[in-house]
Amino acid sequence: MENTQKLKTTFFRKFFVSIFGIDKYDKISESTVPSFISYILLLSVLVTIILTPVITRTEVEAMDVFKKFIEHNLPNYEVVDGKFKVDSEEPIIRTNKTDYDKMFDGTIILTNYENVEKEHKELLSKKGNLFVFSKDYLIVKQPKTKIVKYKYSSIAKQVGLPENFTKADTLKLLTEQKQNEILQKTLVFISIVILLTVSVTIINVLAISLIAIITSKIMKVKISYSKLFNISCMSITLATMVFVVLTAIMILTKFNFIVPNLDLLYLILTYIYLVVALLLIRRKE
């Protein structure tokens, strides 16, 4: 017990040992369960620190692309008294052809037509995400979902546009509010991600610790559940970091680089660390 009290089980020590020191799992797992719950919390914060700037940067770039798409690909339009009007007699059809195709694969249609659903059904036959700006409504159609219609007054109120707005107002909104909006979303995102990551990670650890109980019985290793719980916390460390780094790479490459079965890779890495740790503990008995 005296040695246990003198163990230096700081976050960084646990983190380093979890990845590079499987042979020390037996010793470090003598620490208290609350200390490892704290470790999971700090590991979740680390995950958030890595992912937040990645997602924020991607969002900034996506908004820039969206702004340029509106500026260079769409004609002048306006909404007056809840009615949409575009400078064209014929429908304007634009398909997204940017680097963000995999994030947004869809078509935007601007038209002065009224009863699009009844009189111009051909406009709703486009595949993928479809946004039809008709005279009275914005019509949104997505794969495997029903058609949804939005009034322009509701849209303007929701995004911060004046009741009567133009293309220029839309571009101005994207320019002025972009930075503040992203900052606010980032702060909210950080808190949400930490809570979700902690919850998911603890559930994963509990599930892995139950697997560890079965595995230890099969391997005939005499070990308490508290130590198995702590070992499970350490076992997920490398898998968590690999998962986060690969996720960040996929986001930064706009999903042109995709790792299939990432969840399965997470489980395999975790179980390898768990089994090796139990084998080393059995060897010491």
PDB file of all heavy atoms in Angstrom, residues 160-184:
ATOM      1  N   GLY A 160     -30.854  36.191 -39.429  1.00  0.00           N
ATOM      2  CA  GLY A 160     -30.458  37.565 -39.149  1.00  0.00           C
ATOM      3  C   GLY A 160     -30.483  38.487 -40.348  1.00  0.00           C
ATOM      4  O   GLY A 160     -29.804  39.523 -40.346  1.00  0.00           O
ATOM      5  N   LEU A 161     -31.259  38.157 -41.373  1.00  0.00           N
ATOM      6  CA  LEU A 161     -31.425  39.033 -42.531  1.00  0.00           C
ATOM      7  C   LEU A 161     -32.609  39.963 -42.313  1.00  0.00           C
ATOM      8  O   LEU A 161     -33.525  39.647 -41.541  1.00  0.00           O
ATOM      9  CB  LEU A 161     -31.672  38.184 -43.785  1.00  0.00           C
ATOM     10  CG  LEU A 161     -30.466  37.483 -44.407  1.00  0.00           C
ATOM     11  CD1 LEU A 161     -30.935  36.440 -45.419  1.00  0.00           C
ATOM     12  CD2 LEU A 161     -29.518  38.477 -45.061  1.00  0.00           C
ATOM     13  N   PRO A 162     -32.630  41.123 -43.000  1.00  0.00           N
ATOM     14  CA  PRO A 162     -33.823  41.977 -42.929  1.00  0.00           C
ATOM     15  C   PRO A 162     -35.019  41.278 -43.559  1.00  0.00           C
ATOM     16  O   PRO A 162     -34.854  40.337 -44.336  1.00  0.00           O
ATOM     17  CB  PRO A 162     -33.407  43.228 -43.717  1.00  0.00           C
ATOM     18  CG  PRO A 162     -32.270  42.801 -44.578  1.00  0.00           C
ATOM     19  CD  PRO A 162     -31.566  41.710 -43.823  1.00  0.00           C
ATOM     20  N   GLU A 163     -36.212  41.750 -43.240  1.00  0.00           N
ATOM     21  CA  GLU A 163     -37.419  41.095 -43.764  1.00  0.00           C
ATOM     22  C   GLU A 163     -37.428  41.100 -45.290  1.00  0.00           C
ATOM     23  O   GLU A 163     -37.797  40.119 -45.931  1.00  0.00           O
ATOM     24  CB  GLU A 163     -38.667  41.798 -43.219  1.00  0.00           C
ATOM     25  CG  GLU A 163     -39.965  41.090 -43.579  1.00  0.00           C
ATOM     26  CD  GLU A 163     -41.169  41.726 -42.920  1.00  0.00           C
ATOM     27  OE1 GLU A 163     -40.970  42.522 -41.962  1.00  0.00           O
ATOM     28  OE2 GLU A 163     -42.300  41.443 -43.352  1.00  0.00           O
ATOM     29  N   ASN A 164     -37.028  42.221 -45.886  1.00  0.00           N
ATOM     30  CA  ASN A 164     -36.825  42.319 -47.324  1.00  0.00           C
ATOM     31  C   ASN A 164     -35.324  42.315 -47.583  1.00  0.00           C
ATOM     32  O   ASN A 164     -34.603  43.174 -47.070  1.00  0.00           O
ATOM     33  CB  ASN A 164     -37.441  43.592 -47.896  1.00  0.00           C
ATOM     34  CG  ASN A 164     -38.953  43.640 -47.704  1.00  0.00           C
ATOM     35  OD1 ASN A 164     -39.619  42.613 -47.721  1.00  0.00           O
ATOM     36  ND2 ASN A 164     -39.494  44.839 -47.513  1.00  0.00           N
ATOM     37  N   PHE A 165     -34.841  41.342 -48.334  1.00  0.00           N
ATOM     38  CA  PHE A 165     -33.398  41.236 -48.525  1.00  0.00           C
ATOM     39  C   PHE A 165     -33.054  40.889 -49.965  1.00  0.00           C
ATOM     40  O   PHE A 165     -33.913  40.451 -50.746  1.00  0.00           O
ATOM     41  CB  PHE A 165     -32.785  40.204 -47.571  1.00  0.00           C
ATOM     42  CG  PHE A 165     -33.286  38.798 -47.754  1.00  0.00           C
ATOM     43  CD1 PHE A 165     -32.665  37.921 -48.636  1.00  0.00           C
ATOM     44  CD2 PHE A 165     -34.393  38.340 -47.046  1.00  0.00           C
ATOM     45  CE1 PHE A 165     -33.113  36.616 -48.802  1.00  0.00           C
ATOM     46  CE2 PHE A 165     -34.860  37.039 -47.207  1.00  0.00           C
ATOM     47  CZ  PHE A 165     -34.222  36.170 -48.090  1.00  0.00           C
ATOM     48  N   THR A 166     -31.778  41.112 -50.298  1.00  0.00           N
ATOM     49  CA  THR A 166     -31.282  40.869 -51.653  1.00  0.00           C
ATOM     50  C   THR A 166     -30.063  39.952 -51.605  1.00  0.00           C
ATOM     51  O   THR A 166     -29.601  39.573 -50.516  1.00  0.00           O
ATOM     52  CB  THR A 166     -30.881  42.192 -52.329  1.00  0.00           C
ATOM     53  OG1 THR A 166     -29.789  42.771 -51.584  1.00  0.00           O
ATOM     54  CG2 THR A 166     -32.043  43.178 -52.353  1.00  0.00           C
ATOM     55  N   LYS A 167     -29.520  39.666 -52.757  1.00  0.00           N
ATOM     56  CA  LYS A 167     -28.277  38.884 -52.839  1.00  0.00           C
ATOM     57  C   LYS A 167     -27.155  39.598 -52.103  1.00  0.00           C
ATOM     58  O   LYS A 167     -26.365  38.969 -51.381  1.00  0.00           O
ATOM     59  CB  LYS A 167     -27.905  38.666 -54.303  1.00  0.00           C
ATOM     60  CG  LYS A 167     -26.559  37.983 -54.512  1.00  0.00           C
ATOM     61  CD  LYS A 167     -26.248  37.834 -55.992  1.00  0.00           C
ATOM     62  CE  LYS A 167     -24.839  37.270 -56.210  1.00  0.00           C
ATOM     63  NZ  LYS A 167     -24.532  37.093 -57.649  1.00  0.00           N
ATOM     64  N   ALA A 168     -27.098  40.924 -52.247  1.00  0.00           N
ATOM     65  CA  ALA A 168     -26.056  41.709 -51.579  1.00  0.00           C
ATOM     66  C   ALA A 168     -26.162  41.586 -50.065  1.00  0.00           C
ATOM     67  O   ALA A 168     -25.147  41.508 -49.361  1.00  0.00           O
ATOM     68  CB  ALA A 168     -26.149  43.172 -51.999  1.00  0.00           C
ATOM     69  N   ASP A 169     -27.389  41.558 -49.541  1.00  0.00           N
ATOM     70  CA  ASP A 169     -27.599  41.395 -48.091  1.00  0.00           C
ATOM     71  C   ASP A 169     -27.086  40.034 -47.625  1.00  0.00           C
ATOM     72  O   ASP A 169     -26.512  39.907 -46.541  1.00  0.00           O
ATOM     73  CB  ASP A 169     -29.079  41.535 -47.739  1.00  0.00           C
ATOM     74  CG  ASP A 169     -29.599  42.943 -47.952  1.00  0.00           C
ATOM     75  OD1 ASP A 169     -28.859  43.892 -47.644  1.00  0.00           O
ATOM     76  OD2 ASP A 169     -30.729  43.080 -48.445  1.00  0.00           O
ATOM     77  N   THR A 170     -27.310  39.019 -48.438  1.00  0.00           N
ATOM     78  CA  THR A 170     -26.842  37.668 -48.099  1.00  0.00           C
ATOM     79  C   THR A 170     -25.322  37.620 -48.018  1.00  0.00           C
ATOM     80  O   THR A 170     -24.752  37.068 -47.068  1.00  0.00           O
ATOM     81  CB  THR A 170     -27.325  36.648 -49.147  1.00  0.00           C
ATOM     82  OG1 THR A 170     -28.732  36.760 -49.301  1.00  0.00           O
ATOM     83  CG2 THR A 170     -26.982  35.224 -48.709  1.00  0.00           C
ATOM     84  N   LEU A 171     -24.652  38.210 -49.003  1.00  0.00           N
ATOM     85  CA  LEU A 171     -23.183  38.240 -49.014  1.00  0.00           C
ATOM     86  C   LEU A 171     -22.645  39.055 -47.844  1.00  0.00           C
ATOM     87  O   LEU A 171     -21.643  38.688 -47.227  1.00  0.00           O
ATOM     88  CB  LEU A 171     -22.677  38.821 -50.337  1.00  0.00           C
ATOM     89  CG  LEU A 171     -22.998  37.993 -51.586  1.00  0.00           C
ATOM     90  CD1 LEU A 171     -22.610  38.750 -52.844  1.00  0.00           C
ATOM     91  CD2 LEU A 171     -22.281  36.646 -51.528  1.00  0.00           C
ATOM     92  N   LYS A 172     -23.330  40.145 -47.526  1.00  0.00           N
ATOM     93  CA  LYS A 172     -22.916  40.998 -46.403  1.00  0.00           C
ATOM     94  C   LYS A 172     -23.035  40.240 -45.087  1.00  0.00           C
ATOM     95  O   LYS A 172     -22.162  40.323 -44.217  1.00  0.00           O
ATOM     96  CB  LYS A 172     -23.783  42.252 -46.369  1.00  0.00           C
ATOM     97  CG  LYS A 172     -23.353  43.270 -45.319  1.00  0.00           C
ATOM     98  CD  LYS A 172     -24.245  44.508 -45.387  1.00  0.00           C
ATOM     99  CE  LYS A 172     -23.854  45.512 -44.300  1.00  0.00           C
ATOM    100  NZ  LYS A 172     -24.746  46.707 -44.327  1.00  0.00           N
ATOM    101  N   LEU A 173     -24.094  39.470 -44.954  1.00  0.00           N
ATOM    102  CA  LEU A 173     -24.296  38.676 -43.736  1.00  0.00           C
ATOM    103  C   LEU A 173     -23.167  37.670 -43.560  1.00  0.00           C
ATOM    104  O   LEU A 173     -22.621  37.515 -42.460  1.00  0.00           O
ATOM    105  CB  LEU A 173     -25.634  37.936 -43.818  1.00  0.00           C
ATOM    106  CG  LEU A 173     -25.943  36.994 -42.659  1.00  0.00           C
ATOM    107  CD1 LEU A 173     -26.342  37.799 -41.426  1.00  0.00           C
ATOM    108  CD2 LEU A 173     -27.044  36.019 -43.028  1.00  0.00           C
ATOM    109  N   LEU A 174     -22.798  36.988 -44.640  1.00  0.00           N
ATOM    110  CA  LEU A 174     -21.727  35.987 -44.572  1.00  0.00           C
ATOM    111  C   LEU A 174     -20.396  36.623 -44.211  1.00  0.00           C
ATOM    112  O   LEU A 174     -19.573  36.020 -43.539  1.00  0.00           O
ATOM    113  CB  LEU A 174     -21.617  35.254 -45.911  1.00  0.00           C
ATOM    114  CG  LEU A 174     -22.766  34.303 -46.249  1.00  0.00           C
ATOM    115  CD1 LEU A 174     -22.630  33.810 -47.676  1.00  0.00           C
ATOM    116  CD2 LEU A 174     -22.801  33.138 -45.288  1.00  0.00           C
ATOM    117  N   THR A 175     -20.186  37.856 -44.639  1.00  0.00           N
ATOM    118  CA  THR A 175     -18.914  38.533 -44.374  1.00  0.00           C
ATOM    119  C   THR A 175     -18.855  39.077 -42.951  1.00  0.00           C
ATOM    120  O   THR A 175     -17.887  38.871 -42.228  1.00  0.00           O
ATOM    121  CB  THR A 175     -18.716  39.705 -45.362  1.00  0.00           C
ATOM    122  OG1 THR A 175     -18.748  39.189 -46.684  1.00  0.00           O
ATOM    123  CG2 THR A 175     -17.385  40.394 -45.125  1.00  0.00           C
ATOM    124  N   GLU A 176     -19.912  39.739 -42.500  1.00  0.00           N
ATOM    125  CA  GLU A 176     -19.897  40.428 -41.209  1.00  0.00           C
ATOM    126  C   GLU A 176     -20.039  39.477 -40.028  1.00  0.00           C
ATOM    127  O   GLU A 176     -19.365  39.597 -39.018  1.00  0.00           O
ATOM    128  CB  GLU A 176     -21.024  41.461 -41.154  1.00  0.00           C
ATOM    129  CG  GLU A 176     -20.781  42.687 -42.037  1.00  0.00           C
ATOM    130  CD  GLU A 176     -21.907  43.694 -41.897  1.00  0.00           C
ATOM    131  OE1 GLU A 176     -22.927  43.351 -41.265  1.00  0.00           O
ATOM    132  OE2 GLU A 176     -21.751  44.819 -42.403  1.00  0.00           O
ATOM    133  N   GLN A 177     -20.940  38.528 -40.154  1.00  0.00           N
ATOM    134  CA  GLN A 177     -21.264  37.701 -38.995  1.00  0.00           C
ATOM    135  C   GLN A 177     -20.470  36.416 -38.924  1.00  0.00           C
ATOM    136  O   GLN A 177     -20.534  35.693 -37.942  1.00  0.00           O
ATOM    137  CB  GLN A 177     -22.762  37.365 -39.011  1.00  0.00           C
ATOM    138  CG  GLN A 177     -23.645  38.580 -38.814  1.00  0.00           C
ATOM    139  CD  GLN A 177     -25.095  38.196 -38.587  1.00  0.00           C
ATOM    140  OE1 GLN A 177     -25.455  37.027 -38.646  1.00  0.00           O
ATOM    141  NE2 GLN A 177     -25.928  39.163 -38.322  1.00  0.00           N
ATOM    142  N   LYS A 178     -19.714  36.129 -39.971  1.00  0.00           N
ATOM    143  CA  LYS A 178     -19.035  34.832 -40.044  1.00  0.00           C
ATOM    144  C   LYS A 178     -18.129  34.580 -38.846  1.00  0.00           C
ATOM    145  O   LYS A 178     -18.242  33.548 -38.180  1.00  0.00           O
ATOM    146  CB  LYS A 178     -18.222  34.753 -41.338  1.00  0.00           C
ATOM    147  CG  LYS A 178     -17.474  33.454 -41.515  1.00  0.00           C
ATOM    148  CD  LYS A 178     -16.842  33.377 -42.877  1.00  0.00           C
ATOM    149  CE  LYS A 178     -15.796  34.459 -43.069  1.00  0.00           C
ATOM    150  NZ  LYS A 178     -15.106  34.345 -44.371  1.00  0.00           N
ATOM    151  N   GLN A 179     -17.238  35.516 -38.531  1.00  0.00           N
ATOM    152  CA  GLN A 179     -16.261  35.291 -37.480  1.00  0.00           C
ATOM    153  C   GLN A 179     -16.918  35.147 -36.110  1.00  0.00           C
ATOM    154  O   GLN A 179     -16.589  34.231 -35.345  1.00  0.00           O
ATOM    155  CB  GLN A 179     -15.239  36.447 -37.452  1.00  0.00           C
ATOM    156  CG  GLN A 179     -14.429  36.589 -38.733  1.00  0.00           C
ATOM    157  CD  GLN A 179     -13.608  35.350 -39.031  1.00  0.00           C
ATOM    158  OE1 GLN A 179     -13.199  34.627 -38.133  1.00  0.00           O
ATOM    159  NE2 GLN A 179     -13.372  35.097 -40.314  1.00  0.00           N
ATOM    160  N   ASN A 180     -17.847  36.044 -35.775  1.00  0.00           N
ATOM    161  CA  ASN A 180     -18.518  35.960 -34.481  1.00  0.00           C
ATOM    162  C   ASN A 180     -19.341  34.689 -34.351  1.00  0.00           C
ATOM    163  O   ASN A 180     -19.352  34.043 -33.302  1.00  0.00           O
ATOM    164  CB  ASN A 180     -19.448  37.173 -34.296  1.00  0.00           C
ATOM    165  CG  ASN A 180     -18.671  38.452 -34.078  1.00  0.00           C
ATOM    166  OD1 ASN A 180     -17.538  38.420 -33.607  1.00  0.00           O
ATOM    167  ND2 ASN A 180     -19.261  39.583 -34.437  1.00  0.00           N
ATOM    168  N   GLU A 181     -20.016  34.337 -35.439  1.00  0.00           N
ATOM    169  CA  GLU A 181     -20.848  33.134 -35.409  1.00  0.00           C
ATOM    170  C   GLU A 181     -20.000  31.890 -35.198  1.00  0.00           C
ATOM    171  O   GLU A 181     -20.349  31.018 -34.397  1.00  0.00           O
ATOM    172  CB  GLU A 181     -21.625  33.028 -36.716  1.00  0.00           C
ATOM    173  CG  GLU A 181     -22.566  31.842 -36.765  1.00  0.00           C
ATOM    174  CD  GLU A 181     -23.302  31.754 -38.091  1.00  0.00           C
ATOM    175  OE1 GLU A 181     -23.513  32.805 -38.719  1.00  0.00           O
ATOM    176  OE2 GLU A 181     -23.648  30.634 -38.473  1.00  0.00           O
ATOM    177  N   ILE A 182     -18.873  31.822 -35.893  1.00  0.00           N
ATOM    178  CA  ILE A 182     -18.005  30.654 -35.772  1.00  0.00           C
ATOM    179  C   ILE A 182     -17.406  30.583 -34.373  1.00  0.00           C
ATOM    180  O   ILE A 182     -17.291  29.507 -33.792  1.00  0.00           O
ATOM    181  CB  ILE A 182     -16.897  30.698 -36.838  1.00  0.00           C
ATOM    182  CG1 ILE A 182     -17.508  30.428 -38.217  1.00  0.00           C
ATOM    183  CG2 ILE A 182     -15.808  29.670 -36.552  1.00  0.00           C
ATOM    184  CD1 ILE A 182     -16.550  30.567 -39.356  1.00  0.00           C
ATOM    185  N   LEU A 183     -17.036  31.736 -33.819  1.00  0.00           N
ATOM    186  CA  LEU A 183     -16.489  31.763 -32.463  1.00  0.00           C
ATOM    187  C   LEU A 183     -17.516  31.252 -31.460  1.00  0.00           C
ATOM    188  O   LEU A 183     -17.199  30.434 -30.587  1.00  0.00           O
ATOM    189  CB  LEU A 183     -16.050  33.187 -32.100  1.00  0.00           C
ATOM    190  CG  LEU A 183     -15.510  33.383 -30.677  1.00  0.00           C
ATOM    191  CD1 LEU A 183     -14.283  32.514 -30.451  1.00  0.00           C
ATOM    192  CD2 LEU A 183     -15.183  34.843 -30.417  1.00  0.00           C
ATOM    193  N   GLN A 184     -18.754  31.722 -31.580  1.00  0.00           N
ATOM    194  CA  GLN A 184     -19.812  31.277 -30.675  1.00  0.00           C
ATOM    195  C   GLN A 184     -20.063  29.783 -30.817  1.00  0.00           C
ATOM    196  O   GLN A 184     -20.186  29.060 -29.820  1.00  0.00           O
ATOM    197  CB  GLN A 184     -21.095  32.060 -30.963  1.00  0.00           C
ATOM    198  CG  GLN A 184     -21.011  33.532 -30.586  1.00  0.00           C
ATOM    199  CD  GLN A 184     -22.222  34.318 -31.063  1.00  0.00           C
ATOM    200  OE1 GLN A 184     -23.158  33.759 -31.617  1.00  0.00           O
ATOM    201  NE2 GLN A 184     -22.203  35.620 -30.857  1.00  0.00           N
TER     202      GLN A 184
END
